[in-house]
Amino acid sequence: MFSVQQATAPVSTDTSLAVLFDGRPMIDAGIPETVRSLQEEGAIGPLTTVYVESIEGSTTRGPSRVASLTDPVLLDRLVDTLRGFLEQSGAVTADSRRRVVLGHSLGGNAALYVAAHWPRLFGGAATGSAALWWPGDPVQLSGSQVAAEVQAATGLRLWMQAGTAEDPDLLRSNREFWEGADAASLDLVHVEHSGGHELSAWRSGLGQALPHLLREPG
């Protein structure tokens, strides 16, 4: 279910945590190398990254992936499993301000949902090309539901990006969320880049998102 990239420095109770949805595509896209480079350059401190490769047997593509990232029951159970995994597998900080959850596309929706629902576990979220247009159904969370829950949450730090070459509905829904978040004075950095839905853009974005979200509080 999980792959773990440990911090380059020895792990301790001061080690930050990042949890990333769609773990296998993220690993294949070079995200671990980006994280290691950020640590080696001193852009971020010690960081343990947990890649969520599967949620209850989901595949990397297709209906089971969609279900795993949009069903709140499955996401609730994932967080319970994750909490137990973290308790058993080495020290990371207990400071939620240095625990973040990350995701691309529908994984971005899942990241926002988890951050909004478990503020004591995660203090921030980063998304690339969040699928806030997603219509949902009686079981699946819609993008508008996720957006409303994030806007109602308190204390979250957010970093989001989407590209000008995205699907028009995706770009529109992100812009609308950003506008509402700015009007509500949420702690949000949003970036509109010149590309589209490609993972290379997300990998580049994480090079900005992680230093921002994991900087020392205060």
Side-chain angles (χ1 to χ4, degrees):
M1 175 179 286
F2 304 127
S3 294
V4 180
Q5 177 185 328
Q6 294 284 12
T8 53
V11 293
S12 72
T13 53
D14 195 43
T15 300
S16 296
L17 172 71
V19 174
L20 182 60
F21 284 100
D22 286 321
R24 179 46 51 187
M26 300 301 114
I27 292 169
D28 293 343
I31 301 297
E33 290 75 18
T34 295
V35 172
R36 278 194 292 268
S37 293
L38 291 171
Q39 293 179 82
E40 291 165 359
E41 294 164 3
I44 59 175
L47 174 69
T48 291
T49 311
V50 175
Y51 296 87
V52 181
E53 293 210 45
S54 174
I55 301 174
E56 299 191 12
S58 63
T59 58
T60 56
R61 293 284 186 271
S64 64
R65 171 186 174 269
V66 170
S68 73
L69 295 173
T70 59
D71 185 335
V73 174
L74 294 182
L75 290 171
D76 290 356
R77 290 205 294 258
L78 169 71
V79 173
D80 286 340
T81 301
L82 177 63
R83 185 185 289 112
F85 173 78
L86 293 173
E87 290 172 353
Q88 298 173 16
S89 63
V92 295
T93 183
D95 184 353
S96 63
R97 294 172 297 179
R98 291 195 291 110
R99 290 178 168 214
V100 298
V101 58
L102 320 168
H104 179 265
S105 194
L106 278 176
N109 291 24
L112 292 172
Y113 172 84
V114 168
H117 276 254
W118 286 274
R120 294 184 180 180
L121 192 60
F122 296 104
T127 70
S129 305
L132 297 180
W133 64 271
W134 188 257
D137 61 26
V139 174
Q140 296 179 7
L141 291 163
S142 68
S144 60
Q145 286 177 278
V146 171
E149 294 192 22
V150 173
Q151 289 187 330
T154 58
L156 280 181
R157 301 178 67 209
L158 304 171
W159 191 99
M160 301 175 70
Q161 75 171 24
T164 56
E166 302 273 11
D167 176 90
D169 286 337
L170 186 149
L171 183 58
R172 172 193 50 76
S173 62
N174 275 264
R175 285 173 171 170
E176 289 175 352
F177 176 82
W178 299 343
E179 182 178 355
D182 288 345
S185 299
L186 298 189
D187 189 348
L188 166 66
V189 171
H190 49 85
V191 175
E192 195 167 299
H193 63 88
S194 60
H197 212 66
E198 61 273 7
L199 290 182
S200 58
W202 173 225
R203 184 178 67 239
S204 176
L206 283 179
Q208 303 171 52
L210 288 172
H212 172 74
L213 293 174
L214 296 176
R215 71 175 188 264
E216 288 297 321

